[in-house]
Amino acid sequence: MKSEFILRGARVIDPSRGLDQCADIAVSNGRICDPAKLKKAKSYDMEGKIVAPGFIDLHVHLRQPGRNDKETIRTGTMAAAAGGFVAIVAMPNTSPPADTSSTIEYVKSHAEREGFVKVLVSACITKGQEGKEMSGIGGLKKAGAVALTDDGKCVHNHEIMRHVLEYAKSFGLPIFDHCEDESLASGGVMHEGYWSTVLGMRGIPAESEDIMVARDIILAEKVGARLHIQHLSSKNSARMIREAKARGVKMTCEATPHHLFLTDEKIKSFDTNYKVNPPLRSEEHRLALIEALKDGTIDAIASDHAPHTETEKLVEFDYAPFGVIGLETSVPLCLTELCHKGVLTFAELVRKFSSSPAEILGLSEMGTLREGAPANITVLDPEFEHVIDSSSFLSKSRNTPFDGWKVKGRAAATIVDGNFVFSAIPGIDAAIVHK
Ligand code: DOR
Ligand code: ZN
C-alpha cells in the first residue's frame, strides 16, 4: 500500500495548467488526487515552499556501464534525487555505448533495482557513436529508448543525419543533437576568442556549433522530425533557432547552468573544472543565452552532468577530459541567478525544469500536477541560503566549477510516484534525508 498524504499551504506552480497559487496537493496510490477525498491522510505543512511538477534533467551521464569509478546508476540517481529531479535522461556514451537493446535493457533493469529516481534512457544515433552506420532504431525504441543521440560526438555525415531524422520521425523519437563540427573544433580546449589568445590555448570557435545547428535546422525542416539541440552555447545558434521556431520548425533546445552563468575568463585560473564541451564562451554569448532563455528560444535547462574522477581532472588543462557535474547544483544556481535576480519568474523557471522537458520527451503523464497524474513532485525551498560544498555531494565525482558559491534556494523534497525519495524537511522521512 502506498502512502496517502496532503502537502498543505504551499505556493503551487503548475505550468501545464497555468497555475500559480496557494493550494493543497493530495497524493494517494502514487497519484495526484482531490484533497477533499482524503479525509484521514497525513498532512505536511509546506508554507513558504513551492510545490512543482517533478523536475526532469534531459542530459545526464551516468557512466554505467563501463566507468563506475566516475558514477553509477545508484550514485547518479541519488545525486538527482538530492538535486530535486524525479527523472533524468541517461546519455548513451557509456562503455559499451547504448547502441543495442541489451545495453538499454541493462541500464533500465539496474535503474529499476538501484535507482532513486526514474531513469529514461537515450540510445545512440549511430553504431558505436562512430557516425558511420545508423543504429537499429526500431529495436532501440522497443527496448525503451526515449531519444536518440550521439552526445559527446556530432554526426558529421549529412546523408546519415538526414536518414536518422527520417527514421526518428517515423518511430516518434526526438533527436538530441550534439552540434560540433570536428574540423573546426578539433584540438581545441576552450572557446576561441580573447582569452584563448591571451592564455595561448587552442580554441574551439562558436562557428563549430553554428554550422551544425544550421545544417540540422535545414534537415529537420525538410524532414519534419523532432530536433532538440543540446547544450546550446553560442549567440548565432540561438538566433538561428529563434528564427527556425518562428517559421514553425519542430525544434527545441536546452542550455546548461554553466553556460548560463560562467564565461571563458574563468580559465585564466587553469582550473580544469572549467573545461567543458561545448566550451564556456565569452560574455557576449552568455548574454545571448540569457536573452534566449527569457524569450523562450531555450525551452529547458539541463545539467549535462558529466562526472570525471579527480585524478583525471588533476592534470594540465590540455589533457583533462571535458565535463562538469551539475545534478546537485542546477536548482540552487538557477533559483539564485535567474529567479532571485529577476531574469525569470519562479513559474518560468519551473516550466524549464518540468513541463518543457516532459513535452520534449512527449511524456504527457509527466511535468504536470493535474489530478490522476503520477505523483512526481519537486518541492522547492526558495529562500534557503547556503554555500555549495562539493564534499557533501552524493555524486561519486567532485568536478564542479561552483564549489563555494553562495546560493539561495534548493530542492527541499523530491517525490517519485508518491514516495519521498529525498527530504530536507524536518519530520518528513525519505530514502535520502538531508543531514
Ligand atoms: O563536456 C562534456 N562532457 N561534453 C560532452 O559532450 C560529453 C561529456 C562527457 O561525456 O564527459
Ligand atoms: Zn554533448
Side-chain angles (χ1 to χ4, degrees), residues 59-61 63 70 91 93-94 129 150-153 178 180 230-231 258-259 275-279 304-308 313 321-324 399:
H59 198 143
V60 173
H61 296 271
R63 304 297 191 210
K70 297 179 194 239
M91 290 298 114
N93 63 339
T94 46
Q129 296 196 299
D150 270 359
D151 182 51
K153 288 188 180 167
H178 172 116
E180 178 188 14
Q230 298 178 291
H231 43 49
H258 47 274
H259 291 110
K275 184 171 175 182
V276 66
N277 188 27
D304 194 359
H305 179 83
H308 294 294
K313 279 287 197 182
F322 291 99
V324 302
N399 52 310

Side-chain angles (χ1 to χ4, degrees), residues 111-154:
E112 263 153 43
R113 286 202 305 275
E114 298 148 24
F116 286 78
V117 303
K118 291 174 190 289
V119 177
L120 308 165
V121 188
S122 65
C124 300
I125 293 176
T126 63
K127 288 184 183 163
Q129 296 196 299
E130 285 174 358
K132 292 186 187 129
E133 208 184 323
M134 198 163 72
S135 52
I137 293 174
L140 294 168
K141 158 108 185 187
K142 232 188 232 152
V146 297
L148 298 169
T149 176
D150 270 359
D151 182 51
K153 288 188 180 167
C154 182

Side-chain angles (χ1 to χ4, degrees), residues 411-432:
T414 309
I415 301 167
V416 176
D417 288 333
N419 297 311
F420 280 88
V421 294
F422 166 73
S423 166
I425 304 173
I428 300 185
D429 205 17
I432 303 165

Side-chain angles (χ1 to χ4, degrees), residues 203-220:
I204 301 172
E207 293 71 32
S208 73
E209 177 169 314
D210 301 339
I211 281 174
M212 285 306 179
V213 167
R215 177 199 69 175
D216 291 342
I217 289 172
I218 292 167
L219 293 176

Side-chain angles (χ1 to χ4, degrees), residues 38 136 156 165 181 260:
L38 285 193
H156 281 90
L165 284 162
D181 179 76
L260 290 167

